[in-house]
């Protein structure tokens, strides 16, 4: 990790933070798909790597939820996958007893019909403006939680690349895209999914949703607060002094 | 046996780790403080760590060893980094909003004086109570702000994250909130326009919120939760301070005051000095506080609460005066940027005539100030006084029997239950409780007979009325449905209808059948 001297601990580089966010969104995205034997050992390994990343992560609001999620992934033994698959089916599959918590945004819309169409069109627009599209074969729904989180992860990856290349403009562009997408879509329904899962399950699926929720809430503020500092430095300082949170 | 054991475990207070900075040369004295703190409460683990002020990385291990769920830090250098405390708390698995930091002066100044040591024990004990009163916070209840950016930012520095700090943001308890009935008290109180109402739900604009806590105080239902500065937490700390064996001097200090108050004061940190309710000031004095001060950040607070605060203090001083106490027991201290408040012992207050009820009770929400004022009205010489003051936390609703129709709209609109309507034994009764009235005026605004002056509100404290308790102000005869027998209106409503409709009024069915039976 690149670091600069801070007050008592090292401030993380923007690249590190963007990479951490990229990894977390990606892991939450993968966890909220039907568990597959080949994927889970990779997730556990990635969790182990992130857990050892260092103290700097604790400086951020999302640390408790992220830590809990990573520990749960890391603790899941490979022979548990079959049990997790059953759990996933019971939790999200059709049920006669309880309405399963929807894993897609349309399931949380207050009005059906046209609203769902508009929402999907808006999502597709976000994807296409970033130059990505959903693969036609075996594709997930564009508003599925794992698709939305993977999209945010991709944008975080681009941001990290931009920081690494010293391209401030590209980093800012990617941050703006992330913020707009989360504000319009993910932030509206992820808290509801998280609460529904916490009430029903409380296991790794709930922890994945809650870690992603905590990160989305954090990032919306963080990117918003950071925006003025990515412009003219003198303007940014003046704004920071006027804003001075009281 | 198992059931009893379970209950005991549930009722047990949360284990708290109290970690203080203990210099080697005062080790024995600090240990004594620990002993005095833990003797009456075996759910406190006390550790003295030399040099804690300069590095708190040992805290997660200590928290784990103690099995603690809450943390209180006693730091003496006054130069600790709040960001660092937050980071280490998270690493320890604790919510930083629930962590209490007691900022002492240097131990060597404190310890030779026995009273000061007693003060340290009291401060740590009160902080423990406050830490225990913290419950939890959701991710949506905090927002990121960047601190320490006071110098021009270089392009290079942008490639490192700025030091981020998180401040709490309020959340509304939808089960307790009565915005659906028309209450807008929190929205009116917010100086930053961060609260709004949409379809009967109060929404918080997190980017506009400046964490002043004025909404917490304004809410009559205690439905606003600001983690770290919630009504529960402030009440718990204040309660512990007022049950101290010796009268204490308490200062409510704005969180933006960086310097600790002068010696002798027990600080209670608030989000903004403007959030201190009159009930807290009066109850603290009534329950044994020698003096109560308010320590503002600046004379011209960014939350525009200076006028409100001055009004509250002036009102409380008037109450003390009519109660035969010295008004100087409650004071607005010089702002934190001008001068430290002086040592309270210099004030030479006469011995307090404290009531010492043993429990402070609720200090926020409707009825809190009314309850305290009722005690004052009953127990002191001020029992018949009337205080006309714009900052009176209680008001007096007056119903005009000549114009009221007992339609029930006012009682439905009242967010505090100060106006209560009952329908019993064929009679409709309106009972008014001045102690719960906050003078919001929702009853007047909603009254269909307001043009005829059916109800008025007087912003005043009428001690005599308070001591009488809830009073019946109006009785009306109910009219029963000739078909089902249920009371469906009052004679006064029918008379009003008759006057409004003139020749179009039809006694049958309007005055004889209830709306349900009319449709059959």
């Amino acid at each position: 990790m690149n670091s600069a001297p801070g007050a008592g601990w090292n401030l993380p580089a923007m690249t590190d933070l963007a990479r951490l966010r990229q990894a977390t969104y990606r892991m939450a995205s993968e966890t909220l798909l039907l568990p597959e034997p080949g994927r889970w050992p990779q997730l556990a390994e990635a969790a182990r790597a992130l857990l050892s990343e260092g103290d700097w992560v604790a400086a951020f609001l999302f640390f408790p939820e992220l830590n809990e999620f990573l520990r749960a992934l890391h603790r899941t033994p490979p022979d548990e996958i079959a049990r997790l698959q059953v759990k996933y089916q019971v939790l999200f599959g059709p049920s006669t007893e309880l309405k399963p918590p929807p894993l897609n945004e349309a399931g949380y819309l207050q009005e059906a019909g046209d609203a769902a169409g508009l929402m999907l069109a808006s999502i597709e627009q976000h994807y296409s403006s970033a130059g990505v599209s959903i693969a036609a074969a075996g594709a997930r729904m564009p508003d599925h939680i794992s698709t939305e989180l993977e999209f945010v992860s991709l944008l975080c990856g681009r941001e990290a690349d931009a920081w690494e290349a010293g391209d401030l403009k590209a980093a800012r562009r990617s941050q703006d895209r992330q913020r707009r997408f989360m504000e319009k879509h993910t932030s509206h329904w992820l808290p509801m999914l998280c609460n529904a899962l916490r009430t029903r399950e409380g296991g790794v699926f709930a922890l994945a949703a809650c870690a992603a929720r905590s990160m989305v809430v954090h990032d919306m503020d963080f990117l918003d607060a950071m925006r003025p500092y990515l412009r003219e430095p003198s303007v940014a300082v003046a704004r920071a002094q006027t804003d001075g949170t009281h | 046996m198992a059931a009893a054991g379970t209950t005991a475990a549930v009722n047990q207070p949360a284990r708290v780790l109290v970690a203080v900075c203990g210099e080697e040369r005062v080790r024995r004295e600090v240990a004594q403080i620990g002993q005095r703190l833990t003797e009456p409460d075996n759910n406190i683990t006390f550790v003295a760590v030399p040099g804690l002020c300069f590095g708190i990385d040992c805290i997660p291990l200590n928290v784990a060893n103690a099995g603690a769920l809450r943390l209180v830090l006693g730091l003496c250098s006054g130069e600790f980094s709040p960001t660092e405390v937050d980071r280490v708390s998270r690493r320890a698995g604790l919510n930083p909003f629930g962590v209490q930091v007691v900022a002492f002066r240097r131990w060597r100044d404190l310890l030779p004086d026995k009273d000061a040591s007693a003060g340290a024990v009291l401060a740590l004990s009160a902080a423990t109570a406050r830490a225990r009163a913290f419950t939890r916070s959701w991710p949506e209840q905090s927002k990121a702000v960047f601190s320490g950016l006071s110098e021009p930012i270089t392009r290079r520095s942008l490639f490192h994250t700025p030091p981020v700090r998180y401040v709490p943001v309020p959340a509304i308890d939808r089960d307790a909130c009565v915005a659906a009935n028309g209450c807008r008290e929190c929205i009116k109180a917010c100086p930053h326009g961060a609260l709004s109402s949409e379809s009967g739900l109060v929404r918080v604009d997190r980017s506009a919120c400046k964490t002043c806590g004025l909404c917490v105080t304004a809410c009559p239902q205690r439905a606003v939760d600001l983690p770290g500065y919630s009504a529960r937490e402030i009440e718990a700390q204040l309660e512990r301070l007022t049950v101290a064996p010796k009268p204490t001097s308490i200062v409510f200090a704005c969180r933006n005051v960086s310097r600790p108050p002068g010696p002798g004061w027990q600080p209670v940190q608030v989000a903004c000095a403007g959030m201190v309710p009159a009930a807290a000031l009066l109850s603290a004095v009534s329950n044994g506080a020698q003096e109560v001060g308010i320590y503002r950040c600046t004379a011209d607070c960014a939350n525009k609460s200076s006028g409100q605060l001055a009004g509250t203090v002036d009102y409380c001083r008037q109450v003390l005066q009519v109660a035969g106490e010295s008004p100087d027991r409650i004071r607005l201290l010089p702002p934190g940027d001008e001068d430290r408040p002086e040592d309270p012992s210099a004030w030479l207050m006469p011995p307090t005539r404290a009531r010492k009820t043993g429990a402070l009770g609720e200090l926020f929400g409707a009825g809190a100030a009314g309850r305290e004022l009722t005690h004052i009205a009953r127990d002191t010489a001020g029992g018949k006084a009337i205080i006309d003051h714009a900052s009176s936390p209680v008001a007096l609703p007056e119903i005009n029997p000549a114009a009221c129709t007992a339609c029930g709209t006012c009682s439905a609109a009242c967010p505090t239950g100060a106006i209560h309507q009952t329908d019993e034994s064929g009679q409709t009764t309106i009972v008014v409780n001045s102690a719960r009235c906050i003078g919001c005026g929702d009853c007047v605004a909603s009254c269909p007979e307001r043009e005829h002056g059916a109800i008025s509100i007087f912003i005043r404290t009428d001690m005599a009325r308070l001591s009488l308790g809830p009073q019946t102000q109006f009785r009306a005869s109910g009219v029963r449905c000739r078909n089902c027998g249920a009371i469906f209106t009052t004679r006064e409503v029918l008379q009003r209808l008759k006057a409004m409709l003139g020749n179009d009024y039809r006694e049958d069915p309007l005055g004889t059948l209830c709306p349900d039976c009319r449709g059959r």
Side-chain angles (χ1 to χ4, degrees):
Chain A
M1 191 188 89
N2 307 318
S3 54
W9 55 286
N10 287 337
L11 295 171
M14 288 303 298
T15 318
D16 294 318
L17 183 61
R19 290 268 180 246
L20 173 78
R21 292 165 49 234
Q22 178 191 13
T24 305
Y25 285 126
R26 182 71 195 267
M27 288 166 78
S29 159
E30 297 282 338
T31 307
L32 288 166
L33 289 171
L34 179 68
E36 283 174 11
R39 194 169 62 233
W40 276 67
Q42 290 173 3
L43 284 173
E45 180 55 28
R48 192 196 57 75
L50 279 184
L51 280 168
S52 63
E53 181 53 36
D55 284 348
W56 64 271
V57 184
F60 297 96
L61 176 79
F62 51 75
F63 175 78
E65 286 85 1
L66 174 63
N67 204 36
E68 230 182 324
F69 168 51
L70 295 178
R71 282 181 193 283
L73 271 184
H74 184 49
R75 277 197 307 260
T76 308
D79 55 1
E80 280 241 345
I81 306 304
R83 195 184 60 79
L84 278 172
Q85 283 177 333
V86 173
K87 199 173 174 185
Y88 189 92
Q89 300 279 17
V90 170
L91 200 56
F92 301 113
S95 163
T96 50
E97 289 173 11
L98 280 172
K99 190 176 170 243
L103 279 170
N104 59 332
E105 189 173 338
Y108 295 87
L109 286 176
Q110 304 226 322
E111 308 152 27
D114 289 350
L118 287 172
M119 180 272 294
L120 284 171
S122 160
I123 287 186
E124 301 264 17
Q125 199 177 7
H126 279 278
Y127 292 167
S128 62
S129 70
V132 296
S133 60
I134 305 278
R140 298 173 220 149
M141 291 294 288
D143 64 334
H144 192 276
I145 182 65
S146 58
T147 319
E148 289 198 8
L149 292 179
E150 196 174 336
F151 177 62
V152 181
S153 168
L154 181 127
L155 296 178
C156 292
R158 286 185 185 172
E159 183 198 328
D161 293 342
W163 287 121
E164 256 168 14
D167 187 347
L168 198 80
K169 210 171 165 186
R172 192 173 64 198
R173 199 166 48 232
S174 179
Q175 286 191 342
D176 284 346
R177 274 195 209 289
Q178 292 166 46
R179 205 196 174 284
R180 272 201 304 271
F181 181 74
M182 289 191 282
E183 188 180 10
K184 287 260 181 208
H185 295 283
T186 322
S187 68
H188 285 292
W189 65 287
L190 191 53
M192 287 186 269
L193 173 65
C194 165
N195 289 339
L197 286 175
R198 197 172 7 218
T199 313
R200 281 165 190 235
E201 190 232 4
V204 71
F205 302 118
L207 293 174
C210 294
R213 173 233 194 143
S214 183
M215 205 152 222
V216 165
V217 170
H218 170 269
D219 287 355
M220 299 252 297
D221 276 341
F222 187 83
L223 300 179
D224 205 27
M226 176 166 272
R227 193 179 296 171
Y229 299 109
L230 299 184
R231 298 205 172 95
E232 283 298 309
S234 54
V235 175
V237 171
R239 162 112 187 247
Q241 283 165 350
T242 327
D243 276 2
T245 303
H246 188 82
Chain B
M1 284 299 283
T6 312
T7 313
V10 168
N11 292 335
Q12 221 168 40
R15 176 157 288 280
V16 181
L17 173 72
V18 178
V20 302
C21 184
E23 293 172 21
E24 190 57 32
R25 56 188 160 156
V26 290
R27 195 175 55 180
R28 198 165 53 89
E29 289 85 349
V30 171
Q32 280 170 0
I33 288 178
Q35 198 180 355
R36 288 173 67 182
L37 192 66
T38 51
E39 253 173 17
D41 187 342
N42 57 14
N43 280 304
I44 295 178
T45 302
F46 182 87
V47 291
V49 184
L52 186 68
C53 292
F54 306 103
I56 56 174
D57 275 335
C58 61
I59 290 299
L61 185 62
N62 279 300
V63 168
N65 288 344
L69 300 171
R70 300 285 183 270
L71 172 66
V72 173
L73 294 172
L75 303 177
C76 54
S77 84
E79 288 172 9
F80 64 93
S81 150
T83 317
E84 179 71 350
V85 172
D86 289 1
R87 183 183 71 88
V88 169
S89 306
R90 279 190 208 99
R91 267 186 52 213
L94 304 174
N95 189 320
F97 292 147
V99 173
Q100 295 297 315
V101 179
V102 179
F104 294 113
R105 294 181 304 140
R106 296 184 67 80
W107 286 113
R108 65 166 175 267
D109 298 339
L110 188 70
L111 288 165
D113 178 354
K114 278 185 183 165
D115 278 352
S117 294
V121 174
L122 182 60
L124 290 169
S125 165
T128 302
R130 184 165 177 162
R132 278 188 178 134
F134 175 80
T135 49
R136 64 176 308 164
S137 73
W138 301 105
E140 287 80 2
Q141 282 179 277
S142 46
K143 70 170 190 175
V145 291
F146 293 142
S147 54
L149 289 175
S150 53
E151 292 171 2
I153 302 167
T154 61
R155 186 179 167 85
R156 186 188 166 127
S157 73
L158 275 174
F159 291 86
H160 291 97
T161 54
V164 65
R165 181 165 71 86
Y166 298 93
V167 292
V169 175
I172 313 294
D173 175 353
R174 289 187 178 173
D175 292 335
C177 177
V178 289
N181 296 355
C183 179
R184 296 287 178 276
E185 289 308 297
C186 58
I187 298 169
K188 284 190 269 178
C190 179
H192 308 290
L195 299 170
S196 59
S197 175
E198 197 182 305
S199 314
L201 295 175
V202 174
R203 304 223 174 264
V204 182
D205 177 351
R206 298 166 66 243
S207 59
C209 176
K210 300 282 184 210
T211 315
C212 65
L214 299 188
C215 50
V216 175
T217 309
C219 178
Q221 296 292 334
R222 297 167 62 93
V224 183
D225 178 31
L226 184 65
Y229 301 99
S230 69
R232 280 188 313 278
E233 291 163 78
I234 294 170
E235 286 164 359
Q237 187 177 19
L238 202 55
E239 170 128 21
R240 186 63 61 88
L241 291 174
T242 54
V243 296
K246 266 184 76 180
T248 316
S249 297
I250 296 168
V251 60
F252 291 94
C254 168
R255 74 190 164 101
N256 289 319
V257 175
S258 52
R259 293 185 302 170
W265 289 101
Q266 287 288 345
V268 174
Q269 199 186 55
V270 287
C272 167
M275 82 173 286
V276 181
L281 298 172
L282 293 171
S283 297
V285 171
S286 296
N287 282 269
Q290 187 82 359
E291 298 92 13
V292 180
I294 300 184
Y295 197 23
R296 296 164 288 166
C297 53
T298 60
D300 188 20
C301 171
N303 297 320
K304 302 163 197 153
S305 68
S306 302
Q308 179 187 333
L309 179 61
T312 303
V313 170
D314 185 57
Y315 168 81
C316 291
R317 289 167 65 94
Q318 280 197 31
V319 172
L320 291 186
Q321 203 150 24
V322 301
E325 289 275 1
S326 164
D328 283 344
R329 286 197 188 285
I330 295 176
R331 279 200 198 183
L332 203 51
L333 301 170
D337 60 350
E338 288 175 14
D339 196 10
R340 282 169 195 250
E342 68 270 45
D343 184 343
S345 60
W347 292 9
L348 300 171
M349 285 286 126
T352 180
R353 278 182 260 163
R355 197 171 62 250
K356 287 277 182 193
T357 58
L360 217 55
E362 291 185 350
L363 304 174
F364 290 78
R371 193 173 48 249
E372 184 53 40
L373 289 163
T374 304
H375 282 308
I376 292 171
R378 287 175 181 163
D379 299 349
T380 70
K384 290 193 169 59
I386 290 177
I387 304 172
D388 275 309
H389 197 290
S391 296
S392 171
V394 294
L396 194 59
E398 289 278 9
I399 290 172
N400 175 5
C404 178
T405 60
C407 65
T409 313
C410 57
S411 73
C414 178
T416 67
I419 303 176
H420 182 60
Q421 182 162 325
T422 55
D423 298 302
E424 276 175 16
S425 316
Q427 272 208 328
T428 297
T429 309
I430 301 177
V431 178
V432 171
N433 184 358
S434 174
R436 289 194 69 81
C437 179
I438 56 171
C440 64
D442 288 355
C443 51
V444 178
S446 66
C447 177
E449 302 300 328
R450 63 179 173 275
E451 284 174 13
H452 300 100
I455 188 165
S456 317
I457 291 279
F458 300 94
I459 307 296
R460 77 164 49 133
T461 305
D462 185 333
M463 293 293 203
R465 290 285 288 274
L466 284 169
S467 60
L468 289 173
Q471 294 286 297
T472 299
Q473 283 204 2
F474 188 55
R475 280 199 176 87
S477 304
V479 177
R480 287 186 189 281
C481 172
R482 118 182 133 210
N483 192 28
C484 66
I487 293 176
F488 69 96
T489 188
T490 63
R491 296 215 177 284
E492 286 74 6
V493 170
L494 292 181
Q495 278 166 11
R496 180 71 62 217
L497 273 176
K498 217 180 271 183
M500 284 165 65
L501 298 175
N503 290 337
D504 292 334
Y505 178 79
R506 298 283 175 269
E507 178 68 17
D508 193 11
L510 279 179
T512 55
L513 289 174
C514 70
D516 287 347
C517 292
R518 259 178 248 158
R520 282 176 196 155

